[in-house]
Amino acid sequence: MHPTFIFLIFVLLLTTLPQSRCQPNDPVCGQQPYNCGSLSNISYPFWGLNRPSFCGGGDSFNLKCHANDATTSIQIGSQNFTVKEINITFQTMRVVRPDLVLNVCSPHVNNTGLGSSLFKYGSSVYNITIFYNCSLSLDASFGHFSCGNEITIFRDGPQDELLRKFPWIARCRRYVEVPVDVPYDNSGGLDFLQQAFDSGFPINYTVLNNPKSVTGATVAGLLICIAIFYIRYRSSNCKGDFGLATKSNKNIEAFLQNQGALTLKRYKLSDVKKMTNNFKVKLGQGGFGIVYQGKLSNGSPVAIKMLNEAKNNGEDFINEVASISRTSHINVVTLLGFCLEGRKRALIYEFMSNGSLDKFIYRKGPEAIAPLSWDNIYQIAMGIARGLEYLHIGCNTRILHFDIKPHNILLDDNLCPKISDFGLAKLCPRNESIISMSDARGTMGYVAPEVLNRHFAGVSHKSDVYSYGMMLLEMVGGRKNINADASHTSEIYFPHWIYKRLELDTDLRLEEEIMPEKKEIVKRLIIVGLWCIQTFPNGRPTMSRVIDMLEANMNSLEIPPKPLLSSPTTSLPESSIS
Ligand SMILES: *[C@@H]1O[C@H](CO)[C@@H](O)[C@H](O)[C@H]1NC(C)=O
Ligand SMILES: *[C@@H]1O[C@H](CO)[C@@H](O)[C@H](O)[C@H]1NC(C)=O
Ligand SMILES: *[C@@H]1O[C@H](CO)[C@@H](O)[C@H](O)[C@H]1NC(C)=O
Ligand SMILES: *[C@@H]1O[C@H](CO)[C@@H](O)[C@H](O)[C@H]1NC(C)=O
Ligand SMILES: *[C@@H]1O[C@H](CO)[C@@H](O)[C@H](O)[C@H]1NC(C)=O
Ligand SMILES: *[C@@H]1O[C@H](CO)[C@@H](O)[C@H](O)[C@H]1NC(C)=O
Ligand SMILES: *[C@@H]1O[C@H](CO)[C@@H](O)[C@H](O)[C@H]1NC(C)=O
Ligand SMILES: *[C@@H]1O[C@H](CO)[C@@H](O)[C@H](O)[C@H]1NC(C)=O
Ligand SMILES: *[C@@H]1O[C@H](CO)[C@@H](O)[C@H](O)[C@H]1NC(C)=O
């Protein structure tokens, strides 16, 4: 025979060989049940042990039968699973990840990947995401346990959705998604997880009857992949659509990558237009840009801050995303997403129906707002203190806000206060109390003396305490601490005015009488406020101490020294004017 002919026959044989694989109806091997490890009555498409591969449905169905410990395992993708059950009739099996059962704390635990189109999660399967190495857990809907000294938390749901909903978990160092099918229970902690891992989860498998359909499936799979890739690419947000992407945008992109902030939802400008109904309802405006009211596609209301285009290389944008994407606290506003497209930069926040605190304090102008009760004022003071304490010591990185003032405190439907506007914020290591800063930042009237004049003292978290104190005094006094339309220049320095009233025990508000039972709240707020605005940072309490003082027994509160007259004379542009 001619060698070419032999070669052709050889090729023909090779290409037809797969079809000689035994078929489900093959009476000889495929349908004969056999036992493997713990399992009995196994048949096609599974093979392994004494059953040769040509009797099975392909490499994916190779069972490893361990006689010594009577277990059966299978490798799917790169993962090794223990098989607990196989149901040939219904084409399902129940598998367990032995690595998780053995040591859920292992730093080598990976996501579960089925990595093959032949296997699908059963319909009852859902993911639990485990977040390792978290600094703290603040949400009771998470289960938790510890791995050594590290706090580990978990919650039902895929990781990206959880990260979107609870941006603070981005601080956990590592996440793993694990499929389970027992009902979620956060209270069981590690025991619940162990039980869920032990029972494993169901997988449906697909039997391919001949190699043609394998080819068909591969081609179809490939087409689907290409389609998905294309759709993803098309909807992959704002990147460089306009060729306007400036150098600073590249820096921002690099920064976002670095921060892992891309776990925040990124929106296209066209989405933002849709959400705001083409920027129809304006909520506010300031030095930073304009805030519009909007609606997400699921109907939840949002506030969308469009940052000014020309400003400082997007530093305010970076500040805001960097600071706030690290936080999750009931008293800190939640950033839901952002948009970065050409020169348009938008930040998307949860919507606060009652607007900012200033309109409740100053109550000027025609839109008369019902005044806050003293209990409301106390609760708001407490909430802001808790939010600030959290920013100062609650995260791995200390966040200094540098622009605490009534405009930047938002109130939800229940008048729960949330700290917002992190455009001037600074991040710094927690072990460093004094920070270096080249510029003066803040708003006149609230800015601490050391921020205006570095020779005075070092800038630190105590600078936020000062602003908080000034705001507290305004809340009590029901007026601005500096009179913008100061008609009489002889006006007394506001803290002195308050101090005088504290000494004389006279009412603060001329237009209203304070009920005797509320006088204590008022006095307490004044004392705390005056401590906070002590001229030298060392004389001011930390935010934790402020909370203690707000809760403490009245008799234990010392009257602070009268603040030195330090009404700032340097003029500082208002950073954000509403
Ligand atoms: C073995 O499995 C087949 C289905 O593949 C089923 O019909 C049969 O009843 C099973 N036999 C035993 C002994 O469980
Ligand atoms: C898979 O896990 C089993 C334990 O369930 C183990 O006996 C087996 O050696 C593992 N196989 C591989 C390839 O890691
Ligand atoms: C397979 O699953 C079905 C439905 O859950 C069940 O009725 C049947 O008994 C199972 N068969 C085996 C062999 O486990
Ligand atoms: C937590 O982080 C430390 C340091 O990065 C690492 O050594 C340790 O393995 C981590 N723990 C877990 C459970 O991931
Ligand atoms: C987890 O994934 C990493 C990276 O893909 C790999 O190096 C490691 O071996 C995997 N660990 C296990 C237990 O499969
Ligand atoms: C898996 O198989 C079961 C039993 O045949 C079926 O009820 C279920 O819908 C299947 N799930 C998926 C995701 O295909
Ligand atoms: C669970 O997470 C994995 C990635 O780890 C993903 O492939 C799978 O589709 C998710 N399953 C469900 C039911 O969401
Ligand atoms: C705060 O908002 C809620 C809901 O929008 C409203 O019912 C309530 O009257 C507001 N409170 C004040 C004090 O305006
Ligand atoms: C703070 O901690 C970092 C890293 O642990 C260290 O490099 C730095 O010197 C520390 N600073 C102070 C003031 O202790």
Side-chain angles (χ1 to χ4, degrees):
M1 238 191 286
H2 195 272
T4 315
F5 194 51
I6 296 173
F7 178 72
L8 274 178
I9 290 179
F10 182 67
V11 168
L12 203 67
L13 264 175
L14 265 186
T15 51
T16 54
L17 201 59
Q19 273 167 4
S20 69
R21 193 152 63 190
C22 99
Q23 298 299 298
N25 296 324
D26 186 324
V28 182
C29 58
Q31 288 291 20
Q32 289 299 321
Y34 81 112
N35 298 338
C36 169
S38 54
L39 306 174
S40 55
N41 199 15
I42 312 286
S43 55
Y44 189 86
F46 294 96
W47 60 279
L49 194 62
N50 302 324
R51 166 113 1 154
S53 66
F54 62 79
C55 290
D59 289 341
S60 308
F61 296 102
N62 180 8
L63 294 179
K64 300 267 177 357
C65 316
H66 310 284
N68 52 345
D69 57 355
T71 56
T72 311
S73 60
I74 190 170
Q75 183 160 348
I76 301 178
S78 58
Q79 208 128 33
N80 183 18
F81 293 93
T82 304
V83 185
K84 294 195 80 171
E85 263 169 47
I86 292 180
N87 190 324
I88 301 286
T89 324
F90 283 79
Q91 301 192 359
T92 61
M93 55 183 182
R94 181 168 273 274
V95 300
V96 165
R97 276 185 62 178
D99 55 344
L100 283 171
V101 170
L102 282 177
N103 182 8
V104 61
C105 288
S106 160
H108 304 297
V109 169
N110 287 344
N111 280 356
T112 309
L114 291 183
S116 160
S117 57
L118 297 177
F119 299 93
K120 270 196 314 199
Y121 293 107
S123 27
S124 58
V125 173
Y126 67 98
N127 272 325
I128 283 187
T129 308
I130 308 179
F131 299 84
Y132 292 94
N133 262 350
C134 303
S135 50
L136 73 173
S137 137
L138 293 159
D139 193 303
S141 63
F142 283 76
H144 64 91
F145 59 95
S146 56
C147 286
N149 292 330
E150 308 288 352
I151 298 174
T152 307
I153 61 175
F154 63 88
R155 167 90 194 240
D156 55 332
Q159 118 193 3
D160 45 353
E161 185 190 308
L162 289 171
L163 280 164
R164 206 155 45 240
K165 233 159 117 192
F166 307 98
W168 57 271
I169 31 182
R171 292 199 316 273
C172 303
R173 291 218 197 107
R174 197 163 62 83
Y175 336 120
V176 170
E177 275 176 311
V178 259
V180 298
D181 78 340
V182 298
Y184 176 66
D185 172 12
N186 63 39
S187 61
L190 186 55
D191 288 347
F192 160 74
L193 279 189
Q194 289 293 4
Q195 185 206 334
F197 298 158
D198 269 331
S199 69
F201 58 94
I203 290 181
N204 290 11
Y205 60 84
T206 308
V207 181
L208 299 170
N209 287 331
N210 59 62
K212 236 188 213 137
S213 63
V214 175
T215 317
T218 311
V219 170
L222 210 63
L223 284 177
I224 290 170
C225 279
I226 291 171
I228 289 175
F229 189 79
Y230 181 71
I231 291 166
R232 285 247 175 114
Y233 175 78
R234 285 299 306 261
S235 61
S236 77
N237 319 318
C238 332
K239 266 174 231 165
D241 295 10
F242 293 106
L244 263 180
T246 52
K247 185 154 169 275
S248 81
N249 264 19
K250 276 190 201 131
N251 292 341
I252 295 177
E253 294 282 358
F255 158 82
L256 289 172
Q257 294 283 1
N258 240 336
Q259 291 289 316
L262 285 179
T263 51
L264 281 174
K265 183 139 172 73
R266 188 170 184 165
Y267 292 92
K268 287 198 287 183
L269 188 58
S270 56
D271 296 334
V272 171
K273 276 188 186 148
K274 215 181 288 163
M275 284 189 243
T276 56
N277 200 354
N278 228 341
F279 305 109
K280 204 162 170 198
V281 182
K282 206 168 167 184
L283 292 173
Q285 181 163 15
F288 53 82
I290 302 178
V291 182
Y292 296 96
Q293 188 170 347
K295 235 187 214 155
L296 295 183
S297 51
N298 66 10
S300 35
V302 288
I304 300 182
K305 180 152 125 185
M306 295 299 299
L307 295 169
N308 278 345
E309 294 184 17
K311 254 180 118 183
N312 56 24
N313 282 336
E315 199 198 324
D316 43 356
F317 178 84
I318 286 186
N319 275 333
E320 193 122 9
V321 173
S323 331
I324 215 168
S325 64
R326 283 159 203 257
T327 64
S328 172
H329 190 276
I330 176 131
N331 299 116
V332 177
V333 77
T334 306
L335 182 62
L336 300 172
F338 66 93
C339 172
L340 177 64
E341 187 163 321
R343 294 193 196 151
K344 300 282 189 197
R345 293 162 194 158
L347 295 161
I348 295 142
Y349 288 98
E350 58 177 333
F351 178 70
M352 293 292 129
S353 62
N354 276 317
S356 57
L357 178 60
D358 56 306
K359 72 171 198 246
F360 288 95
I361 298 183
Y362 311 136
R363 287 188 291 130
K364 277 210 187 128
E367 341 84 271
I369 292 173
L372 296 170
S373 71
W374 284 109
D375 291 324
N376 285 150
I377 292 179
Y378 174 77
Q379 288 306 334
I380 290 170
M382 197 68 188
I384 303 166
R386 292 212 175 97
L388 254 187
E389 181 198 37
Y390 167 79
L391 295 177
H392 288 174
I393 63 171
C395 316
N396 281 338
T397 311
R398 169 171 275 162
I399 299 170
L400 303 187
H401 188 280
F402 284 118
D403 207 13
I404 295 292
K405 59 178 177 178
H407 292 98
N408 290 342
I409 304 299
L410 303 179
L411 301 171
D412 73 6
D413 334 353
N414 298 320
L415 295 175
C416 170
K418 315 241 179 193
I419 300 173
S420 78
D421 204 325
F422 285 73
L424 298 182
K426 268 201 134 356
L427 304 176
C428 53
R430 262 178 64 183
N431 62 351
E432 272 157 37
S433 56
I434 304 296
I435 68 158
S436 63
M437 208 166 69
S438 55
D439 55 335
R441 44 178 77 193
T443 303
M444 283 305 280
Y446 306 91
V447 64
E450 69 273 13
V451 177
L452 289 176
N453 184 348
R454 246 19 84 66
H455 300 302
F456 192 78
V459 174
S460 70
H461 59 115
K462 295 286 184 72
S463 313
D464 275 348
V465 173
Y466 181 96
S467 310
Y468 172 82
M470 212 40 126
M471 182 173 68
L472 208 55
L473 295 180
E474 287 193 348
M475 286 163 70
V476 180
R479 49 165 278 198
K480 259 189 174 320
N481 72 75
I482 45 174
N483 203 341
D485 38 57
S487 44
H488 19 125
T489 45
S490 62
E491 189 177 340
I492 309 167
Y493 177 48
F494 174 69
H496 288 178
W497 177 80
I498 291 232
Y499 199 87
K500 186 125 204 148
R501 270 156 183 74
L502 178 68
E503 284 177 324
L504 301 175
D505 206 11
T506 48
D507 281 358
L508 285 159
R509 298 192 178 176
L510 307 172
E511 73 276 20
E512 74 180 81
E513 200 166 327
I514 298 172
M515 306 306 268
E517 69 272 19
K518 300 297 173 203
K519 281 199 169 146
E520 193 195 299
I521 294 183
V522 177
K523 192 166 173 192
R524 182 192 295 276
L525 294 175
I526 293 177
I527 292 176
V528 173
L530 288 172
W531 273 116
C532 291
I533 61 159
Q534 290 297 305
T535 315
F536 291 97
N538 286 344
R540 302 174 206 150
T542 61
M543 285 318 296
S544 311
R545 178 79 190 111
V546 165
I547 293 172
D548 289 345
M549 286 162 76
L550 286 174
E551 287 173 332
N553 183 322
M554 235 0 232
N555 299 330
S556 66
L557 288 185
E558 268 179 73
I559 303 290
K562 188 169 172 171
L564 299 174
L565 182 66
S566 74
S567 194
T569 47
T570 337
S571 89
L572 181 71
E574 285 218 7
S575 64
S576 44
I577 318 140
S578 291

